[in-house]
Amino acid sequence: MKKIIILLAVLLSTYHMFGQDTVSVVRVNQQRTFPNNIPAGNYSGITYLGDSLYAVVSDKSPHDGFFLFKISLDSLTADIQDVQNLGFKTDSAINGDLEGIVYVPTSQTFFISRESDNTVHEYAMDGKRTPRQLNIPAAFHRAAVNEGLESLAYQENTQTFWTCNESTLKGDGEQATAENGVQNRLRLQSFGPDLQPLHQYAYLMDKPEATRKAWVYSDGVSEITALRDSSLLFLEREFYVPSSKLGAFVSNKLYRVRPNLSLPVEQDVVLTANSPYLDKQLVTQWRTKLSLFNHEIANYEGMCLGPTLNNGSQVIILVSDSQDQFGGVLKDWFKTIVLK
């Protein structure tokens, strides 16, 4: 009887969080790569412009700017059929470790997050930077190198921007490693159409899967995407590479959160185990790995809403960072997930 009561309590809690408005997975399509069409890159962010057209940023392109890709999907399954590179729109600024990109239809401009200085600037359709930028709160300048503003999202219906630090900020606790089992404590920040900060929320990542020393290790939120119902998708990504290289894996977990149902936090208040962390609903998860006969390991860093299918299902597009196809092993993978 006690177990039944506990189960009912969990179900009621979930209903209270999300009501009947939950997100379900229709299909998780296999990842695809198109080496003959797409140059080896460090693709770290993607946004949808409509009519199969996407803007994609690379965190190691020579200058700030973005690629234009045409991504063709199967009209029924949303499986990726083809990806074509339509060119690079550039600015004169030296690349600032571009990580997230969103398209704003009303202004026909892009906002791009630069992890090198944790800023988010606006860019015109020709790739040139405008004078406008988000007013980033001071807390995010406590980010460790390469652990800052990795993600960027935009909700068109509310004209709200969202960003989040990749790993725990200095002062908020210890960062997760492959050996310490620590859960990263992150800050989600919203901005209004005037580009000024609105609310900040606390997000707690899952405990790392890795338990042994790593040659390369990264555990953080690599991207967030805004859904049309004002909820957000968080991509938790754990990238583990042992010294032998074989046995490397990337664990991906896609969570949905509802900031409008949660309590905000103040940026000058330290995050602790008792902070009001966002409730999260697991949508789907997948894992890629590197072994002697399997080279399908994929470090997904870019994610965005794609088209809506005729049956009303929503397509999510993902792109991976191959580090310029590092070692001739990594590939530039693309993937779609269909939600309802």
Side-chain angles (χ1 to χ4, degrees):
M1 177 63 72
K2 184 177 180 181
K3 290 183 178 179
I4 295 176
I5 293 174
I6 293 174
L7 177 60
L8 286 173
V10 171
L11 291 174
L12 287 172
S13 174
T14 302
Y15 182 87
H16 176 72
M17 281 192 302
F18 298 104
Q20 295 177 322
D21 183 25
T22 58
V23 170
S24 59
V25 177
V26 177
R27 183 179 297 102
V28 177
N29 287 312
Q30 291 186 347
Q31 59 188 25
R32 308 289 187 190
T33 185
F34 302 88
N36 295 329
N37 303 343
I38 301 301
N42 299 264
Y43 304 122
S44 51
I46 185 170
T47 189
Y48 183 45
L49 282 67
D51 295 328
S52 302
L53 190 63
Y54 297 78
V56 178
V57 291
S58 169
D59 59 23
K60 292 184 179 64
S61 57
H63 296 90
D64 279 6
F66 50 85
F67 291 89
L68 291 178
F69 285 176
K70 181 179 181 181
I71 303 178
S72 302
L73 308 178
D74 182 277
S75 61
L76 296 178
T77 66
D79 193 22
I80 299 176
Q81 297 179 316
D82 188 42
V83 180
Q84 295 286 337
N85 175 25
L86 303 182
F88 186 70
K89 306 295 183 179
T90 184
D91 187 83
S92 59
I94 300 299
N95 185 294
D97 191 2
L98 307 185
E99 295 291 353
I101 181 172
V102 294
Y103 176 62
V104 180
T106 53
S107 60
Q108 295 187 328
T109 59
F110 302 88
F111 281 78
I112 300 176
S113 61
R114 292 166 43 98
E115 199 173 22
S116 64
D117 54 10
N118 290 308
T119 59
V120 179
H121 293 268
E122 184 186 50
Y123 296 77
M125 287 291 285
D126 61 1
K128 301 296 188 295
R129 188 193 295 181
T130 81
R132 303 206 311 155
Q133 62 179 300
L134 299 186
N135 183 11
I136 305 296
F140 293 97
H141 295 294
R142 293 191 274 109
V145 176
N146 293 325
E147 303 287 355
L149 300 185
E150 183 86 7
S151 56
L152 190 63
Y154 178 70
Q155 283 173 326
E156 185 178 351
N157 57 330
T158 61
Q159 300 182 63
T160 305
F161 297 88
W162 296 89
T163 191
C164 179
N165 48 299
E166 181 180 6
S167 185
T168 306
L169 298 174
K170 295 175 182 176
D172 280 340
E174 187 179 1
Q175 289 189 339
T177 71
E179 300 172 85
N180 64 12
V182 166
Q183 294 175 263
N184 280 324
R185 302 168 181 173
L186 311 182
R187 293 175 183 264
L188 171 70
Q189 179 68 52
S190 64
F191 302 81
D194 61 355
L195 313 185
Q196 299 304 308
L198 291 174
H199 306 293
Q200 192 172 116
Y201 301 88
Y203 182 92
L204 185 65
M205 288 189 62
D206 287 355
K207 183 179 178 180
E209 297 178 20
T211 58
R212 298 189 222 174
K213 186 176 181 180
W215 178 64
V216 173
Y217 185 77
S218 179
D219 183 47
V221 166
S222 63
E223 190 61 284
I224 55 176
T225 292
L227 298 178
R228 294 184 175 90
D229 64 355
S230 297
S231 65
L232 300 172
L233 294 178
F234 273 66
L235 180 59
E236 294 192 17
R237 181 263 287 125
E238 182 181 4
F239 188 6
Y240 171 81
V241 182
S243 57
S244 64
K245 313 304 185 294
L246 295 179
F249 70 81
V250 181
S251 174
N252 302 278
K253 298 178 183 178
L254 193 61
Y255 282 102
R256 180 190 182 215
V257 303
R258 301 286 296 272
N260 58 333
L261 300 181
S262 302
L263 294 173
V265 296
E266 299 296 330
Q267 65 168 304
D268 57 351
V269 174
V270 173
L271 297 184
T272 69
N274 297 319
S275 295
Y277 292 102
L278 289 159
D279 292 313
K280 55 186 190 179
Q281 168 204 1
L282 180 63
V283 176
T284 189
Q285 58 184 320
W286 70 99
R287 185 182 175 103
T288 63
K289 61 182 181 179
L290 176 66
S291 65
L292 190 60
F293 301 107
N294 185 337
H295 294 177
E296 295 187 351
I297 189 167
N299 177 26
Y300 285 101
E301 292 200 351
M303 178 176 67
C304 73
L305 288 183
T308 301
L309 301 182
N310 291 336
N311 62 6
S313 298
Q314 176 66 63
V315 181
I316 306 298
I317 313 282
L318 299 109
V319 62
S320 72
D321 181 350
S322 73
Q323 298 291 318
D324 278 327
Q325 298 181 11
F326 181 78
V329 174
L330 300 186
K331 300 178 182 178
D332 300 295
W333 294 102
F334 295 80
K335 185 181 183 69
T336 54
I337 298 172
V338 183
L339 305 178
K340 189 173 183 179

